[in-house]
């Protein structure tokens, strides 16, 4: 067998691949990748493939980016990892400070997770627990949008409305409220907001938070909505005293034309912003939950049980934080302007297809 075929065989024997029906993988085996460079992936026989989905939306600047790789290598020689409970380190502190600054200090507290779904779990827990610490433990319900996607762990699935991921585990899930999602193709923003208002008015005493994907519902098929919807939603959550969680795991880190998609709303910041995927430029797993002083203070107590007792062994890993800081360096150096230029070029290139109704 060739190195290509040998790796396919070994992978099918030993690796349970994600989001994969393995019976089908046995017929169409996984593509062995030897290396990546820029936008291209190369197999063991020298063929190259354009990485059109950016390695599951994580790769912002291409594979083997010298700046990110250099930051990781430098950190590796200094401090690869230390527990963040009882210790701290400069890459995590600097990353938290820089992300807070991008919100003007409105979201001044950063909690580290490992991946997008864990960030969703953290935000759901923080929302409920903060209300409980404030003597409002009855606020334990969550609201999500129709066709929304927030991850595949048990808590994240509870606020996900994508049947293929959710249905098998439905008996295990808490019951979230699902309201209509705005779709710019349907012009239904007013109806979606009316439905949200009606639910919040009815259940405000029991609802802890609303979770949304700002501007784009990715797993729903790239369903777009206007910033005006998000601004109105922020006003509704303020009016009815409900947290708002902005899941920017897919749309954050410059993918919508601003670093945070929320920047386009002109509204007050949400109570939580979640980041993952692109934050390390496709190198190492990391997620973050940014939240407000108000939420943070709800946990401030001499009583340990009122603290947010959530962690994993690699929380705030120094290598991942170093990579994320290198990503922010790129944005500080003007990456968004390059993104907009590239977007204009792509829009021009695909204009004929749009005119034909094919996209």
């Amino acid at each position: 067998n060739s190195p290509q075929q040998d790796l396919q065989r070994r992978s099918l024997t030993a690796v349970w691949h994600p989001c994969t029906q393995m019976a089908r993988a046995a017929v169409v085996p996984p593509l062995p990748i030897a290396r990546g460079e820029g936008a291209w992936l190369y197999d063991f026989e020298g063929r190259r493939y354009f990485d059109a989905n950016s390695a599951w939306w994580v790769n912002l600047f291409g594979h083997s980016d010298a700046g990110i790789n250099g930051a990781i290598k430098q950190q590796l020689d200094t401090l690869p990892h230390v527990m963040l409970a009882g210790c701290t380190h400069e890459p995590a502190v600097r990353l938290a400070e820089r992300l807070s600054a991008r919100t003007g200090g409105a979201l001044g507290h950063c909690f580290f997770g490992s991946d997008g779904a864990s960030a969703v779990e953290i935000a759901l827990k923080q929302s409920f627990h903060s209300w409980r610490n404030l003597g409002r433990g009855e606020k334990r319900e969550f609201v999500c949008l129709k066709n929304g996607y927030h991850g595949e762990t048990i808590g994240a699935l509870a606020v996900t409305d994508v049947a293929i991921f959710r249905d098998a585990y439905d008996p295990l899930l808490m019951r979230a409220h699902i309201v209509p999602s705005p779709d710019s193709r349907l012009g239904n923003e007013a109806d979606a907001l009316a439905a949200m208002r009606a639910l919040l008015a009815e259940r405000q005493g029991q609802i802890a938070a609303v979770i949304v994907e700002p501007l784009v519902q990715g797993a729903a098929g790239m369903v777009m909505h206007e910033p005006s919807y998000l601004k109105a939603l922020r006003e509704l959550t303020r009016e009815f005293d409900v947290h708002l969680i902005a899941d920017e795991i897919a749309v954050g880190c410059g993918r919508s034309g601003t670093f945070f998609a929320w920047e386009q709303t002109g509204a007050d910041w949400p109570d939580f912003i979640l980041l993952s995927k692109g934050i390390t430029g496709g190198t190492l797993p990391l997620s973050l939950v940014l939240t407000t002083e108000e939420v943070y203070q709800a946990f401030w107590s001499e009583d340990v049980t009122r603290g947010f007792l959530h962690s994993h062994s690699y929380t705030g890993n120094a290598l991942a934080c170093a990579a994320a800081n290198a990503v922010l360096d790129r944005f500080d150096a003007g990456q968004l302007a390059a993104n907009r230029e590239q977007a204009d070029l792509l829009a021009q290139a695909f204009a004929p297809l749009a005119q034909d109704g094919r996209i």
Side-chain angles (χ1 to χ4, degrees), residues 120-155:
V120 172
E121 300 275 351
I122 289 163
L124 298 178
K125 289 175 66 176
Q126 285 183 340
S127 176
F128 160 73
H129 199 168
S130 65
W131 289 122
R132 180 184 175 189
N133 282 352
L134 294 171
R136 303 180 68 181
E138 72 280 1
K139 290 174 74 67
R140 55 185 298 175
E141 299 174 7
F142 295 94
V143 182
C144 59
L145 300 188
K146 184 174 177 58
N147 301 319
Y149 175 86
H150 300 285
E152 295 156 33
T153 51
I154 295 298

Side-chain angles (χ1 to χ4, degrees), residues 40-61:
W40 299 95
L41 299 169
Y42 294 81
D43 67 18
F44 287 85
E45 296 173 357
R47 289 183 293 258
R48 71 174 187 170
Y49 308 84
F50 184 71
D51 188 359
N53 76 351
S54 303
W56 241 337
W57 302 8
V58 303
N59 197 308
L60 295 183
F61 313 128

Side-chain angles (χ1 to χ4, degrees), residues 169-241:
Y169 308 101
D170 188 74
L172 302 178
L173 306 180
M174 66 179 177
R175 302 295 100 188
H177 301 281
I178 302 173
V179 299
S181 57
D183 186 332
S184 60
R185 299 168 299 182
L186 303 177
N188 66 340
E189 179 179 310
D191 291 341
L193 285 169
M196 182 69 76
R197 171 176 281 279
L199 175 63
L200 296 183
E202 178 186 358
R203 303 291 298 175
Q204 61 179 301
Q206 290 75 43
I207 291 173
V210 177
I211 185 168
V212 296
E213 301 161 86
L215 300 182
V216 185
Q217 286 186 309
M222 307 308 288
V223 175
M224 313 287 180
H225 55 264
E226 297 296 324
S228 57
Y229 170 81
L230 298 169
K231 184 174 184 179
L233 180 60
R234 172 75 281 200
E235 293 169 355
L236 283 176
T237 55
R238 289 282 196 212
E239 178 181 349
F240 292 104
D241 200 17

Side-chain angles (χ1 to χ4, degrees), residues 125-139 243 294-309:
K125 289 175 66 176
Q126 285 183 340
S127 176
F128 160 73
H129 199 168
S130 65
W131 289 122
R132 180 184 175 189
N133 282 352
L134 294 171
R136 303 180 68 181
E138 72 280 1
K139 290 174 74 67
H243 289 149
E294 184 178 13
V295 171
Y296 179 77
Q297 284 297 325
F299 293 89
W300 189 272
S301 173
E302 291 296 321
D303 183 352
V304 172
T305 65
R306 291 171 61 89
F308 188 58
L309 306 182

Side-chain angles (χ1 to χ4, degrees), residues 92-116:
V93 174
R94 182 156 55 99
L95 178 58
E97 290 172 339
R98 296 173 78 182
L99 290 171
S100 173
R102 285 184 170 271
T103 71
L107 302 178
H109 300 280
C110 178
F111 196 96
F112 292 94
S114 57
D115 60 276

